[in-house]
Amino acid sequence: IERSGIDPRESGQRGDEYMRQQKYAEASIEYANAVIRDAQFGEARFKLGEAYYAAGNTRAAFPEFIRAADLLKDDHEAQLRAGHLLLSGGFLEDARARARTVLEKDPRNVTALVLLGNALAGLKSLDDAVLVMQRAIKVDPEGAGIYANLAVFEMARGDRAAAETTFKKAVEVSGNAPAAQLGLGNFYLAVQRCAEAE
């Protein structure tokens, strides 16, 4: 990795070309060169995270996505990518904060609403998680995955009737997609209605 020389944006452009060719190792070297030359180059940090992630190196991608989101406060994609990784890693408060950063500027961002709902559910704030998912459904009433998430939260709250209705709605809006059918089937299995699960 070079530590001096040309404009970091030139390294970024070479990295972009390697990414187009799916040469992720070479791309990561170019993006790393760019951020060594300019530690505040948030876009290069984000792309470095993408190159690591595409190569299957989630461990290396994680801190780069976080640093990129710290530098690119108004970049919703950067905030959401960091938020989803934080959620997956169990950093629920941080994931919630990233979702709220996006929602402050874009209250109807469905991806941010779902991220927020999942973070709240992980923090055991199930009532709030349900409310957030209901907001997401108002924005995107055809999002089958949102209904499935909401149904899981309703089930966790102990409201089986609401969960069943919502799982059925997920099946309806998905056009009977296999994932939605499996969600409903798993619900019936969980409540010991085996014939319906089958």
Side-chain angles (χ1 to χ4, degrees):
I1 294 175
E2 303 169 25
R3 292 185 179 274
S4 62
I6 60 174
D7 186 329
R9 278 155 186 76
E10 290 186 32
S11 289
Q13 290 166 0
R14 287 198 299 270
D16 293 345
E17 183 57 37
Y18 283 129
M19 285 295 282
R20 282 191 285 274
Q21 298 170 28
Q22 299 183 351
K23 294 181 177 179
Y24 304 125
E26 292 88 344
S28 65
I29 289 169
E30 293 296 342
Y31 294 135
N33 278 333
V35 300
I36 283 171
R37 293 184 186 115
D38 180 0
Q40 303 303 306
F41 191 178
E43 183 182 350
R45 284 204 179 275
F46 183 80
K47 290 179 177 180
L48 178 57
E50 286 189 317
Y52 285 144
Y53 195 82
N57 190 349
T58 307
R59 182 184 291 262
F62 185 92
E64 295 305 331
F65 281 129
I66 302 303
R67 290 179 190 130
D70 288 342
L71 291 166
L72 302 169
K73 299 288 188 188
D74 295 327
D75 186 316
H76 293 176
E77 185 181 0
Q79 296 302 321
L80 293 170
R81 183 68 71 89
H84 283 108
L85 285 171
L86 289 162
L87 182 70
S88 297
F91 300 97
L92 303 174
E93 293 280 5
D94 293 329
R96 178 173 66 177
R98 297 291 178 179
R100 286 185 168 156
T101 296
V102 174
L103 291 167
E104 283 172 8
K105 299 280 178 68
D106 183 7
R108 293 173 57 82
N109 187 303
V110 172
T111 304
L113 286 167
V114 171
L115 174 61
L116 177 59
N118 284 322
L120 289 167
L123 291 164
K124 308 301 183 193
S125 298
L126 288 170
D127 291 343
D128 290 336
V130 165
L131 290 173
V132 169
M133 285 302 168
Q134 289 170 342
R135 278 175 56 197
I137 285 169
K138 285 180 182 175
V139 177
D140 181 12
E142 300 303 314
I146 307 171
Y147 287 100
N149 262 16
L150 174 58
V152 169
F153 299 162
E154 289 168 335
M155 184 69 175
R157 284 201 307 179
D159 191 343
R160 292 183 176 186
E164 180 178 6
T165 298
T166 308
F167 275 122
K168 286 179 175 178
K169 185 66 176 178
V171 170
E172 177 190 327
V173 301
S174 75
N176 292 315
Q181 291 280 7
L182 284 170
L184 180 58
N186 285 329
F187 164 77
Y188 285 136
L189 197 59
V191 296
Q192 300 181 339
R193 290 161 61 178
C194 298
E196 289 162 288
E198 185 178 347

